[in-house]
Structure formats: C-alpha cells, structure tokens
C-alpha cells in the first residue's frame, strides 16, 4: 500500500501540464521543420512566438471536444457562461439581453493573429465581422500606406462590408498579438435584424466610419 501511494504521488508530481506538453510538442515539430525543410529562421521565430503566446494565454485548451458530448441545452448554457463576460466587454454589446448573449455565444468563433499579419485587405469581399478581445490593430488605406485609425480591445470591425454588402474599404493589420471573436455573414444576417437596437448601433458606426474614410 505504501509503495502504491508513493508511486501515485510521484506520478502526479511528474505529470506535465497538458498545455505545456502541447507547447513542447509544437516546438519539436517546428525544430524538425527547420532542420529537414530549411524553414527560414525569421519565419521560425515568428511561429515560435505564436506558440508561446498560445501557451501563456492558455488558448490551445480546446473545450469543443468536451462540449460536443453535452446535449444542446447544456452546451448552450456552458457556451454562454464561458463567453458572456467577454461579450459584455465589447462596447456594442453593453446592456444587451441574456437572450441575445445566448444566441451570439452560440455563433461566435475565436481566432488569433500575429503582429504584422493582415486581418483583411482593402477590396476583399467581406464575410465576417470581428470583435477584439485583446490587442491592437491598425486601419490602413492608400495601398496600406496611410493609417486612419487604431482598433483596440472592446472595439468591433468589418461591419461595413457586411451591413452594406460592399468590399472592404480599408485594410486592417495587427500591431500586437490579437485575440478576436468573429461572426460569419450568414450568422450576422440571421441574428442582427432580430435585435433592432443592436442593428441601429452598428448602422451608426458604419456612417461614422464611412465619413472617416472620405
């Protein structure tokens, strides 16, 4: 019994954090890619920084496999609980109803982009609206040479192309590592018209940003 207990204690102590283990595995895969496929060092450095960011922020912990085991009702409750605080931190969604938060939480997807990476380019077809959870982005026009605004935590972007069914009127580039939620075009078109107050806020922001670009 003593040996069994000691063995289990040692096992618990030496067991690695799953997130850290995934980070180590990613670095090992990256090293193999650099060695056997001659990946440029500057690109390898950016990939390594990306993996480090994911690990530090625990963004590789994926709840989807767990959530898929739940019945729809429980799954929606968990999704709402996990996302409600973040949703309320977006300026557009302050003081919204619980019903709206439930519907939004069910449709939002998460993504990360790295410093210097473009979220989209001027002239692209718009198929997503984005909500910034962390980080800062630059809004660029004139072949990406002129900055006209900065987007930060709590802001949203990409709504003009969806709301007016037009190509992107500016490029958006990450200044820092950025965590975002996005809502695809189909979900946006189904959800937003059901909530006139939210639609009005978006329309006001569209007009404001169109004037800024003139």
């Amino acid at each position: 019994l003593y040996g069994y207990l000691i063995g289990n204690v040692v096992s618990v102590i030496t067991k690695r954090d799953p997130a850290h283990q995934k980070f180590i595995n990613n670095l090992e895969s990256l090293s193999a890619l650099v060695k056997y496929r001659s990946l440029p060092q500057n690109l390898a450095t950016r990939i390594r920084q990306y993996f480090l960011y994911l690990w530090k922020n625990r963004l590789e912990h994926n709840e989807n496999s767990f959530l898929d085991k739940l019945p729809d009702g429980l799954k929606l409750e968990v999704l709402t609980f996990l996302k409600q605080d973040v949703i309320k931190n977006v300026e557009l969604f302050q003081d919204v109803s619980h019903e709206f938060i439930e519907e939004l939480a069910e449709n939002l997807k998460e993504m990360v982009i790295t410093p210097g990476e473009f979220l989209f380019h001027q002239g692209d077809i718009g198929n997503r609206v984005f909500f910034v959870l962390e980080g800062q982005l630059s809004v660029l026009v004139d072949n990406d040479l002129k900055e006209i605004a900065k987007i930060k935590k709590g802001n949203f972007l990409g709504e003009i192309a969806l709301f007016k069914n037009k190509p992107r009127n500016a490029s958006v580039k990450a200044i820092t590592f950025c965590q975002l939620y996005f809502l695809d075009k189909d979900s946006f078109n189904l959800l937003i018209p059901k909530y006139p107050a939210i639609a009005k806020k978006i329309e006001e922001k569209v007009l404001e940003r169109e004037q800024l670009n003139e």
Side-chain angles (χ1 to χ4, degrees):
L1 179 60
Y2 179 76
Y4 174 78
L5 289 173
I6 293 297
N8 275 277
V9 169
V10 171
S11 175
V12 169
I13 292 173
T14 57
K15 186 177 181 180
R16 285 181 173 176
D17 174 1
H20 183 259
Q21 182 60 56
K22 191 161 189 178
F23 173 63
I24 295 299
N25 291 342
N26 284 335
L27 291 187
E28 289 174 350
S29 297
L30 175 59
S31 295
L33 199 61
V34 170
K35 181 176 180 180
Y36 296 112
R37 300 300 297 271
S38 302
L39 196 71
Q41 280 298 329
N42 64 331
L43 184 54
T45 298
R46 289 173 56 201
I47 295 171
R48 190 176 296 107
Q49 290 171 343
Y50 170 72
F51 287 146
L52 182 61
Y53 180 83
L54 292 183
W55 174 51
K56 283 185 174 180
N57 292 276
R58 290 298 190 262
L59 297 179
E60 287 219 299
H61 179 62
N62 192 340
E63 297 99 357
N64 290 337
S65 58
F66 167 74
L67 291 172
D68 287 341
K69 299 173 186 176
L70 301 178
D72 290 344
L74 275 178
K75 181 177 180 179
L76 180 57
E77 284 189 50
V78 174
L79 280 171
T80 303
F81 175 79
L82 292 175
K83 295 180 178 179
Q84 61 182 347
D85 288 342
V86 172
I87 290 172
K88 290 176 181 177
N89 282 332
V90 175
E91 59 181 4
L92 179 65
F93 302 136
Q94 292 176 1
D95 303 318
V96 295
S97 67
H98 184 73
E99 179 188 13
F100 176 80
I101 291 176
E102 276 191 337
E103 287 201 65
L104 188 61
E106 191 173 15
N107 289 283
L108 285 176
K109 303 292 187 295
E110 193 169 0
M111 65 181 295
V112 173
I113 61 172
T114 61
E117 184 178 349
F118 280 87
L119 185 62
F120 52 76
H121 290 275
Q122 189 171 4
D124 286 352
I125 300 300
N127 56 10
R128 293 174 177 178
V129 59
F130 301 90
F131 309 97
V132 183
L133 312 183
E134 295 290 345
Q136 190 175 54
L137 304 104
S138 178
V139 182
L140 305 167
V141 294
D142 297 343
N143 295 318
D144 305 334
L145 297 175
K146 179 183 177 183
E147 181 181 78
I148 59 170
K150 282 188 170 68
I151 304 291
K152 59 183 180 179
K153 178 179 177 179
N155 292 159
F156 64 99
L157 65 152
E159 77 290 343
I160 296 177
L162 265 66
F163 207 81
K164 294 212 163 186
N165 198 28
K166 295 165 59 177
R168 301 292 190 192
N169 64 356
S171 299
V172 174
K173 183 179 181 180
I175 299 171
T176 65
F177 276 101
C178 295
Q179 293 172 244
L180 307 106
Y181 277 145
F182 68 86
L183 194 63
D184 64 38
K185 186 173 183 176
D186 290 340
S187 299
F188 180 88
N189 289 337
L190 285 172
L191 180 61
I192 299 303
K194 293 167 62 177
Y195 298 90
I198 298 296
K200 184 178 179 181
K201 285 184 180 180
I202 294 175
E203 188 171 12
E204 288 171 353
K205 183 60 74 172
V206 166
L207 291 173
E208 178 186 325
R209 289 177 174 171
E210 283 189 325
Q211 290 171 0
L212 181 65
N213 290 341
E214 289 177 353

